[in-house]
Amino acid sequence: MSDTIDRSADISQPLDRLGPDERLKYDSDYLRGRIDEGLLDRITGGVRFEENKLMKFHGIYQQDDRDIRDERRRQKLEPAITFMVRVRLPGGVCTPAQWLKIDDLARAHGGETIRLTARQTFQFHWVVKEEIRPTIQGLHEVLLDTIAACGDDARGVMSTANPADSVRHAEVAALAKTLSDHVIPRTGAYHEIWYGKERVATSEEEEPFYGRTYLPRKFKIGFVIPPSNDIDLYTQDLGFIAIGGPGGIEGFNVAIGGGMGRSDQDPATYARLADVVGYIPKDRLIAAADAVMGVQRDYGNRAERSRARFKYTVDDKGLDFVKAEIERRMGTPFEPVRPFALDSNGDAIGWRETESGCFNLTLYVESGRVANRPDRPLMDGLRALAKVHKGAFRLTPNQNLIVADIAPEDRPAIEAILAAHHIEEGGGASALRRNAIACVALPTCPLAMAEAERYLPELATKIETILAQNGLTDEPITMRISGCPNGCSRPYVAEIALTGRAPGKYNLWLGGGFHGERLNRVVLDNAGEAAILDTLEQTLGNYARERAPGEHFGDFLHRSGFFAGEEAR
Ligand code: SRM
Ligand code: SF4
């Protein structure tokens, strides 16, 4: 990484005054720990607590099947442990050959399903310990990896997937890849553990930027190309808003300090929207990322993990201080913010012609779940499509899929494959479903308190009935469900959001901005479905009757005084 980084404030505090994760990282020999040994241990299907934490930096999470957890306990058996493996896919772009390999690996090791995530990548679930290495080596064959797909480092870099704009998309997606390659850890641990490479002795610093303790917490970067805000720019730790003219991208407005994660038990944690602090020319992109991450590395809270995200650093140190420190490290001040407008969020499902005369097809994939259902063999269909497709695939931030760069003469073949596999572009989804995101939650997520992905279809059907009764069927409304307050579906910017509290119980949040520009507010606490539907019936009914032309649901709730008297959260 850049030599310009000033590490003077880097962690020089005694480790024993810091959180246990700092010691773990420090002692891990740059993320090696005893992962190798853990993989060979046949007594358990899992790994030790420490290795589980370290493996996250390698994009791997230990989980167990929560549907059968109690039964296994009753039988005095170890939980049914498997691993989730998350691919690093900057900008969500992959080739047909890569898709085919992902499909092969999912069939061989991943329970015959692929999960497209809210940060535009693939996840394999259900991978048993012995099959992690073959999975990662298989990915390596098509130049994919899982480095830093989580962990206290900069992970999956997002980029607008907008199918109507291929030229700027290509430029920004390439920058997302360059930046992602730049910010991943440098340690040789990944190559040694997963590819079996020999450790190379070197006198060079193994992690010139991160050091032995990496970042205080995960760090998320995203690029947005206005007017679409499909990546939910304001929820990123570091967001870049592309500014350009006819000649291409000229530079970026920079947004810092966004984040969703919060805990119901801890009022000191909260969702926060990023602040747009200035503009940088394109050639300052890497310097800006280094500077922002450097500030978080050096000033982030390493004593209290629940307050370690960059958003808290920004609030605790003050936006002015953080901005000035970034500028000092960049060596140049930010230029004034350039005008921009974000006016949409979800994906435009269906066919779009591009500037070059090709076509992009956006397919609706409910909750990003690619699997074969008897009535819709989506996984087989996409495999067949990948075999003939000559363009690229783009995973969208809304968990959908774009089949990109289809030549006009190839369109009939693609349409025939889709028809043969009963894959409609929109999957028969209403406007509500098309603008909905659900996190994985049960049965694999260890943190889930309630269902999300598995509940979305049922809940959406019930809300669709309310919408139909009020003539709102075609009205786009953003809806997000998360199985816990961590907010993996970015719920706190949605117009309607549910966050899990307990089985069948959710907090209901309303009033977010349609294009992700405003946080919503909690309206019901720990509520069951009946109470949630009641509230929606009432508010959506009012919306149908009293809305102004073109007014979004969240905006209406604010204008109509629904939150009157409440303090802004
Ligand atoms: Fe997430 C943890 C799934 C996007 C905030 N997230 C998890 C874990 C790994 C649970 C765990 O720590 O063991 C979940 C794995 C479930 C499973 O079985 O697959 C998980 N997160 C997901 C995915 C797959 C949801 C999805 O259905 O798409 C998304 C994968 C993204 C990716 O490809 O990298 C996912 N997670 C997000 C987002 C949205 C985003 O980044 O755009 C957020 C909110 C934004 C943010 O970070 O503020 C998010 N995930 C969290 C948090 C809370 C972080 C915090 O600041 O408090 C956790 C828990 C943690 O880190 O301790 C978490
Ligand atoms: Fe799991 Fe909670 Fe994230 Fe959903 S929001 S995937 S339940 S951590």
Side-chain angles (χ1 to χ4, degrees), residues 495-518:
E495 295 179 289
I496 302 174
L498 274 65
T499 55
R501 293 293 301 270
K505 293 289 170 73
Y506 298 86
N507 285 1
L508 175 67
W509 306 73
L510 295 179
F514 178 75
H515 47 272
E517 78 284 14
R518 182 180 57 233

Side-chain angles (χ1 to χ4, degrees), residues 56 61 63 84 86 115 117-119 121 123 125 155 217-218 220 259-261 309 399 438-440 444-447 486-488 490:
K56 294 184 183 184
Y61 299 68
Q63 306 184 318
M84 180 267 275
R86 186 182 285 162
R115 183 56 153 69
T117 76
R119 289 190 74 79
T121 190
Q123 279 186 188
H125 290 104
R155 38 133 86 206
R217 200 70 165 83
K218 56 173 80 164
K220 300 181 173 182
M260 294 278 92
R309 290 292 296 268
Q399 304 169 324
C439 74
V440 177
T444 51
C445 178
L447 307 178
N486 282 319
C488 297
R490 299 187 289 271

Side-chain angles (χ1 to χ4, degrees), residues 191-210:
H191 291 72
E192 292 157 25
I193 296 169
W194 307 110
Y195 307 151
K197 296 254 169 72
E198 285 294 318
R199 185 169 188 169
V200 182
T202 166
S203 55
E204 283 174 26
E205 169 64 71
E206 192 151 5
E207 288 289 7
F209 175 81
Y210 284 119

Side-chain angles (χ1 to χ4, degrees), residues 66 439-442 445-450 452 481-489:
R66 294 186 56 187
C439 74
V440 177
L442 294 165
C445 178
L447 307 178
M449 300 175 186
I481 309 182
S482 282
C484 81
N486 282 319
C488 297
S489 58

